[in-house]
Amino acid sequence: MKERFKFNTVGLFTRDNKATVDFYTKTFGFTTDWDGIQPNVEMTLGNMRIILFPRDAFEQMVAQKFQYPEGFNGTVELAFDVPTFADVDKEYQHALTNGAASVLPPTTEPWGQRTCYVADPDGNLIEIGTFTK
């Protein structure tokens, strides 16, 4: 069967593109050629792609107002797998050092996963986890 769609990008609407770019490049190693001026930002890490667009510019573009969550955004998460349990702890600390807010410190769950949650500068939830000790 011919592929109808190929999911390839997550888009985030930001309060501050620079803060969000700094966070994802320093914390996870995303790269971008963003000029710091244009509203549209594209960041890549391997075959992952995140695009950013300022909330106010998006509302102006589509001529609609939106309601954005305050605090932590519990509607969606970005999930990053790491090689080992120790890496979960290491990457959690690295994320906090780069400005993430702690949501759930590293925890070994009953189903065998070690996981943690942090939030980016806009409150988007990020899971860092693995099933490999």
Side-chain angles (χ1 to χ4, degrees), residues 1-99:
M1 175 185 240
K2 183 179 174 189
E3 229 180 286
R4 186 167 166 216
F5 296 108
K6 182 178 180 183
F7 184 81
N8 68 353
T9 305
V10 171
L12 301 174
F13 297 108
T14 66
R15 285 187 288 262
D16 180 345
N17 270 357
K18 182 174 179 351
T20 306
V21 167
D22 287 349
F23 176 77
Y24 282 94
T25 56
K26 291 176 182 173
T27 305
F28 298 106
F30 279 85
T31 60
T32 184
D33 60 3
W34 182 53
D35 64 6
I37 299 169
Q38 298 302 312
N40 189 57
V41 177
E42 181 176 325
M43 300 185 300
T44 58
L45 177 63
N47 62 0
M48 293 181 284
R49 185 170 158 236
I50 294 177
I51 56 173
L52 308 176
F53 206 79
R55 293 173 178 180
D56 57 350
F58 182 68
E59 288 179 346
Q60 187 175 25
M61 183 178 78
V62 298
Q64 291 188 51
K65 294 293 278 176
F66 294 92
Q67 293 180 339
Y68 299 99
E70 294 295 323
F72 298 141
N73 179 358
T75 23
V76 70
E77 75 170 49
L78 303 179
F80 293 89
D81 288 329
V82 294
T84 68
F85 278 23
D87 291 314
V88 171
D89 295 46
K90 181 180 85 173
E91 295 299 340
Y92 171 79
Q93 288 303 321
H94 183 68
L96 295 183
T97 299
N98 285 297

Side-chain angles (χ1 to χ4, degrees), residues 77 85 88-89 103-117 126-133:
E77 75 170 49
F85 278 23
V88 171
D89 295 46
V103 177
L104 174 72
T107 304
T108 302
E109 300 292 357
W111 51 87
Q113 179 187 31
R114 185 141 179 94
T115 191
C116 66
Y117 283 86
I126 300 166
E127 178 184 18
I128 303 168
T130 188
F131 284 91
T132 307
K133 287 186 180 182

